[in-house]
Amino acid sequence: MARPEQVLLLEPQHELRFRGPFTDVVTTTLKLANPTDRNVCFKVKTTAPRRYCVRPNSGVIDAGTSINVSVMLQPFDYDPNEKSKHKFMVQSLLAPPDMTDTEGVWKDAKPEDLMDSKLRCVFEMPAENEKTHEMESNKISASLSKSESSTLSMKSMASSLDDGEVKKIMEECKRLQTEVQRLREENKQIRQEDDGLRMRKSTVMSAPHSSPGMRMKEEGLSSRVIALIVLFFVVGVIVGKLAL
């Protein structure tokens, strides 16, 4: 007598594909759906039980629901010339309404009550360009991890400063702010004087340029302003890192 047709819907239906490299555990998912109005018992079996870990490998699927089965291929030395002969079988039967013992139901089941579906295993290795992409991705991930570690180290060094050193830096920042403001006012005053001098000298053709002493004073102050602004920026960066 022929076995009844499988009531469970399998996804995928015919093949379980495992994508290498196979130097680590490779997992694929098998979805089992129960479209009927009755609970269904199931078991997942394989011809190579030592090569695979299946979770869950048995159970009950309630009416109108589904379950995902994780099939984990253990690491092995892949040979592209060796064709996989591994197979999986999903066995099922309709659960009786008064079921209390799942194992007892399987034990008492008649052969004509059992339904099964078979799937073959397919091993795939990524193409060379995909391998290169994966290697580059791994390098980028490693670089990001290294950058994060460096940031954490800098924060750790900053946190090691005591309150006295932080207070000194804050006082130095305030002093620099005051000095920069003073120099800005001084520079503004010099520009105003220089503008007045140019207006006065515009009527005198014999003195078209400002005096050398005034030019040297202005250049000296501008250099000091630039140097102090750079120093203030560096100290501000350090204080910003400490605040983090």
Side-chain angles (χ1 to χ4, degrees):
M1 183 178 178
R3 290 189 176 184
E5 186 178 352
Q6 176 70 269
V7 296
L8 295 179
L9 300 178
L10 279 64
E11 185 181 340
Q13 295 182 352
H14 307 294
E15 295 179 343
L16 290 176
R17 293 186 172 272
F18 298 89
R19 191 170 180 80
F22 303 101
T23 55
D24 200 354
V25 175
V26 180
T27 303
T28 190
T29 301
L30 172 63
K31 182 179 180 181
L32 305 177
N34 177 12
T36 71
D37 56 358
R38 293 180 58 180
N39 294 349
V40 176
C41 301
F42 77 93
K43 284 186 176 181
V44 181
K45 301 179 180 180
T46 177
T47 57
R50 294 184 179 180
R51 299 285 293 274
Y52 299 89
C53 181
V54 183
R55 294 289 183 275
N57 59 2
S58 64
V60 179
I61 306 177
D62 295 336
T65 63
S66 62
I67 189 172
N68 288 329
V69 177
S70 296
V71 183
M72 291 162 276
L73 173 63
Q74 303 305 302
F76 71 102
D77 294 329
Y78 175 71
D79 183 359
N81 298 320
E82 181 181 353
K83 194 172 182 179
S84 172
K85 298 179 181 179
H86 301 169
K87 290 184 175 61
F88 274 81
M89 181 175 69
V90 178
Q91 202 169 44
S92 63
L93 62 87
L94 296 173
D98 56 348
M99 181 184 69
T100 56
D101 181 15
T102 307
E103 289 301 323
V105 171
W106 284 105
K107 185 176 180 181
D108 298 335
K110 298 177 182 179
E112 57 268 21
D113 296 331
L114 300 177
M115 299 166 283
D116 59 60
S117 299
K118 295 178 181 177
L119 303 94
R120 69 187 187 95
C121 297
V122 178
F123 299 153
E124 297 178 336
M125 285 295 289
E128 289 299 326
N129 58 344
E130 293 179 354
K131 286 183 181 179
T132 304
H133 178 70
E134 290 178 1
M135 290 176 64
E136 291 177 353
S137 300
N138 292 335
K139 289 181 179 178
I140 293 173
S141 300
S143 299
L144 290 175
S145 299
K146 187 175 181 181
S147 178
E148 290 175 358
S149 300
S150 300
T151 303
L152 291 174
S153 299
M154 291 178 67
K155 288 184 178 180
S156 177
M157 291 174 62
S159 63
S160 64
L161 295 174
D162 55 28
D163 294 338
E165 292 175 336
V166 174
K167 187 176 180 180
K168 289 180 181 178
I169 292 176
M170 295 298 292
E171 291 176 353
E172 181 67 15
C173 283
K174 291 180 180 179
R175 190 187 67 78
L176 288 172
Q177 286 179 336
T178 304
E179 183 69 14
V180 169
Q181 184 64 29
R182 186 184 66 79
L183 288 173
R184 284 176 179 172
E185 294 294 333
E186 209 171 304
N187 194 32
K188 183 179 179 181
Q189 184 178 357
I190 291 174
R191 286 182 180 177
Q192 291 175 350
E193 292 176 357
D194 187 55
D195 290 341
L197 185 63
R198 286 177 181 174
M199 290 178 65
R200 289 194 301 270
K201 287 189 176 183
S202 61
T203 59
V204 183
M205 300 298 296
S206 60
H209 301 288
S210 59
S211 64
M214 183 66 70
R215 187 185 309 160
M216 291 176 64
K217 184 177 180 182
E218 183 178 356
E219 291 176 354
L221 285 172
S222 299
S223 300
R224 289 178 61 191
V225 169
I226 294 172
L228 285 171
I229 289 175
V230 172
L231 181 60
F232 177 69
F233 175 77
V234 173
V235 175
V237 171
I238 296 175
V239 173
K241 290 184 178 179
L242 288 175
L244 296 176

